[in-house]
Amino acid sequence: MRWLLAVALLAPLALSGCATPQGVLLAPGADGRYHIAMTSQLTFDPAEVRVPVGATVVWHNNATMVHDVAGYRGDPIKDDRTAFSSSREPPEGLGQLMQPGEEFAYTFAEKGAWTIWCHTHHEEAMKGVVHVV
């Protein structure tokens, strides 16, 4: 019975750093902004996050290849409602990609969920979600 008591007392501590169904709660960096890395493994790190309304999220291309990041209020395949994009898209298609070491920032002004993906690598599952709470 003592082990049950120990589990009951320690479980909240063990789970306190875990992600919730709405992703990792990001803490602001020293600059007051919230940071997500774009990796050579074709991921956003972390991929699913929570930030407060008014947060400026910065995506850093930490990879050895080009990336971009775009945010959609709906499904990017079914309804192409781009809220923001790091690529400056000319009428003929994809624009400037982020080179290694570059960053892109966007400030979220309203609550909701944004699907995030890299146009260049979304087929390799370089996708994520930003939940603004």
Side-chain angles (χ1 to χ4, degrees):
M1 287 305 252
R2 286 185 189 180
W3 67 272
L4 281 175
L5 180 59
V7 169
L9 292 174
L10 294 176
L13 293 174
L15 297 174
S16 64
C18 294
T20 68
Q22 288 193 329
V24 175
L25 178 61
L26 281 185
D31 61 359
R33 304 182 309 169
Y34 298 77
H35 300 267
I36 297 174
M38 304 163 85
T39 73
S40 292
Q41 291 74 35
L42 307 180
T43 62
F44 293 109
D45 184 24
E48 187 170 5
V49 300
R50 284 182 292 144
V51 297
V53 171
T56 297
V57 176
V58 182
W59 287 268
H60 300 272
N61 186 355
N62 293 346
T64 57
M65 63 194 71
V66 296
H67 284 305
D68 71 337
V69 60
Y72 300 85
R73 283 306 300 262
D75 182 319
I77 302 296
K78 295 178 184 171
D79 57 5
D80 187 12
R81 294 181 292 156
T82 308
F84 62 88
S85 176
S86 64
S87 62
R88 295 160 290 284
E89 298 182 26
E92 62 273 6
L94 191 62
Q96 183 69 36
L97 296 174
M98 294 169 62
Q99 297 298 314
E102 291 184 338
E103 65 180 37
F104 172 76
Y106 181 78
T107 300
F108 290 90
E110 59 185 89
K111 290 182 179 183
W114 280 259
T115 300
I116 306 302
W117 72 345
C118 174
H119 285 101
T120 315
H121 300 112
H122 70 274
E123 290 157 351
E124 289 86 3
M126 190 166 179
K127 301 174 185 170
V129 180
V130 174
H131 299 276
V132 181
V133 294

